[in-house]
Amino acid sequence: MTFIKKTLASSVALAVTAAMATAAQAEISDGEIRIGYLADMSGTYRDLAGPGGLEALRMAVEDFGGSVNGAPIQVFSADDRNSADVGANTVREWIDTRNVDMVAGLVASSVTIAVTRVLEENDGFGIVSASAASSITNEHCTPNHIHWVYDTYPLANGTAQAVVQQGGDTWFMLTADYAFGHALEGDVTRVVEENGGQIVGGVRHPFPTDDFSSYILQAQGSGAKIIGLANAGADTVNAINTASQFGVVEAGQQLAGLLVFLNDVHAMGLDATQGLLLTTGWYWNMDDEAREWAERYYERVGRMPTMVQAGIYSSTTHYLQAVEATGSDDPQTVREHMMRQPIHDFFARNGRLREDGRMVHDMYLARVKSPEESTHEWDLYEILTTIPAEEAYRPLSESQCKLVQN
């Protein structure tokens, strides 16, 4: 009789577990989790996210087991070509014909702002990992997206503040002429002026730009101590290389790279970038957890990951955990659960999601090493200070986000 009772209890337990799994899967639309990765796969921003970011996403899916509560995870991707129209139309097509559950990647801020409007109109969901404009969770916030890795606010708080405090109190801004550049220029101007410095001039360049000669000449003519580069990717690399050709640093001016990625420093080399101050959300060699994941990534890709590529893995994992816990891929259900969970993994320290959709976490002020200090090809940064999460990002008291009750 005891054996029969135990057998019956086991059968009931198995039946309940099976029923729960079936119910959870029933709440997952189409019986699949469908993730669309949208990024610049071939242009200016290819190396900071691009195919490497897609590989990081696939790693997250594989590490999760390839399914959630029995529902398989499907991944597809597209090149947005840094076009807001292409990005928005791609996501509309994904929503209409592929029932995409989550849009990942998202690089150029102009593309992201267009895509998040589409997501809001269609009650979709997106995780922004590569865009920089702080407006994405400020005036352009929606209940249908979150912003994970970094934005222009901590970039200015970190790099610009450190440079001004070291005596770099007159600035000339060289700015990419679209949403990201405008946001970064505005945040840098605020920080420079709050710390007693002055913006003495500036010029905005088309995105992307190959020839920076005329812009660097204007910067030289301004007499500013600091030339602030409010651009990214290949534009930053081209601007720094042009400045080197024109002898800008030798003549007494200093460059401030306001959004510099690991791949940029690697491409230009330490001779050209040594001593450069930058702010980053993550660095592959900052601790054991970061190194362990980065070395796995390196084995697959053949290069160390940027903070964006690491952030794509982190955010995808957090999303999948929320789907698993709620048994649903409903955007608001998933978002609410994600907001309740603290974020502490190999990528984020002291991370949490705020009501404006901003994931706040510790940021880091770093200095590019000299060739003599570097011990191998990817040993590029020295972390100088940690910028605590609550100090790094725009305070909610200053928010223009419609989701924030001030």
Side-chain angles (χ1 to χ4, degrees):
M1 180 67 74
T2 303
F3 172 77
I4 293 172
K5 286 182 178 179
K6 286 183 177 178
T7 303
L8 181 60
S10 299
S11 299
V12 170
L14 287 170
V16 170
T17 301
M20 289 174 64
T22 302
Q25 187 167 345
E27 292 187 43
I28 293 175
S29 56
D30 306 305
E32 289 184 338
I33 305 300
R34 297 175 180 175
I35 301 175
Y37 178 78
L38 184 69
D40 173 9
M41 302 293 274
S42 57
T44 304
Y45 295 152
R46 179 186 190 278
D47 290 340
L48 67 89
L54 180 58
E55 194 63 26
L57 191 154
R58 286 175 173 149
M59 284 177 66
V61 170
E62 289 172 18
D63 288 349
F64 211 80
S67 65
V68 180
N69 296 335
I73 304 166
Q74 180 185 355
V75 176
F76 42 88
S77 64
D79 186 348
D80 62 33
R81 304 201 300 274
N82 289 318
S83 164
D85 287 341
V86 170
N89 290 334
T90 299
V91 172
R92 281 194 192 94
E93 188 271 332
W94 284 351
I95 292 169
D96 291 343
T97 67
R98 307 186 76 167
N99 295 322
V100 66
D101 293 306
M102 191 267 278
V103 178
L106 298 169
V107 186
S109 297
S110 52
V111 174
T112 295
I113 291 167
V115 165
T116 55
R117 288 188 189 126
V118 173
L119 293 173
E120 184 175 28
E121 291 165 3
N122 293 273
D123 194 26
F125 189 67
I127 302 181
V128 182
S129 290
S131 298
S134 58
S135 62
I136 290 167
T137 50
N138 196 31
E139 60 264 38
H140 296 300
C141 76
T142 79
N144 298 86
H145 76 272
I146 57 178
H147 199 174
W148 200 262
V149 177
Y150 72 105
D151 65 36
T152 54
Y153 199 94
L155 298 180
N157 275 356
T159 308
Q161 182 169 315
V163 170
V164 174
Q165 290 174 350
Q166 291 179 6
D169 55 3
T170 57
W171 287 60
F172 181 96
M173 295 299 301
L174 182 55
T175 302
D177 192 11
Y178 79 106
F180 146 64
H182 302 168
L184 184 50
E185 180 186 271
D187 285 335
V188 168
T189 298
R190 171 187 54 81
V191 169
V192 169
E193 292 176 349
E194 285 178 355
N195 284 272
Q198 181 184 4
I199 307 295
V200 300
V203 63
R204 290 178 172 179
H205 66 79
F207 165 71
T209 295
D210 292 324
D211 186 358
F212 278 85
S213 300
S214 64
Y215 307 122
I216 295 297
L217 285 171
Q218 289 180 60
Q220 285 184 302
S222 72
K225 295 178 183 177
I226 306 297
I227 301 173
L229 304 178
N231 50 23
D235 281 342
T236 298
V237 172
N238 289 337
I240 291 175
N241 285 337
T242 303
S244 178
Q245 293 165 13
F246 281 52
V248 165
V249 175
E250 290 82 353
Q253 290 176 296
Q254 183 181 351
L255 299 174
L258 297 163
L259 181 52
V260 178
F261 290 93
L262 187 75
N263 58 283
D264 300 328
V265 174
H266 184 263
M268 290 182 285
L270 295 181
D271 284 327
T273 57
Q274 60 183 306
L276 190 70
L277 293 175
L278 58 94
T279 301
T280 187
W282 181 83
Y283 176 50
W284 74 267
N285 201 24
M286 68 185 198
D287 60 28
D288 289 341
E289 280 186 279
R291 275 189 294 275
E292 181 182 358
W293 184 83
E295 286 165 2
R296 288 179 54 216
Y297 179 93
Y298 183 88
E299 289 174 3
R300 295 171 68 124
V301 180
R303 57 192 300 124
M304 285 299 178
T306 65
M307 65 171 172
V308 167
Q309 290 154 347
I312 288 168
Y313 179 102
S314 171
S315 60
T316 301
T317 301
H318 198 62
Y319 169 78
L320 294 174
Q321 288 170 343
V323 174
E324 181 180 55
T326 61
S328 174
D329 57 4
D330 173 71
Q332 297 314 312
T333 301
V334 170
R335 187 181 193 272
E336 288 169 11
H337 186 273
M338 291 176 74
M339 287 180 63
R340 292 195 298 268
Q341 305 306 308
I343 301 149
H344 188 96
D345 57 15
F346 78 94
F347 171 79
R349 304 293 183 273
N350 302 309
R352 68 179 181 89
L353 269 170
R354 304 191 311 197
E355 54 263 48
D356 59 354
R358 174 70 260 171
M359 197 277 273
V360 299
H361 61 103
D362 292 350
M363 298 285 288
Y364 308 93
L365 181 67
R367 180 185 62 83
V368 177
K369 291 184 174 183
S370 68
E372 293 74 28
E373 292 173 307
S374 176
T375 58
H376 56 83
E377 181 185 5
W378 291 97
D379 179 26
L380 303 176
Y381 295 173
E382 176 191 2
I383 301 296
L384 300 178
T385 58
T386 297
I387 307 169
E390 299 306 319
E391 296 177 17
Y393 291 90
R394 185 192 312 278
L396 285 177
S397 59
E398 298 176 8
S399 177
Q400 300 174 44
C401 173
K402 62 192 176 186
L403 306 174
V404 176
Q405 302 297 321
N406 286 326

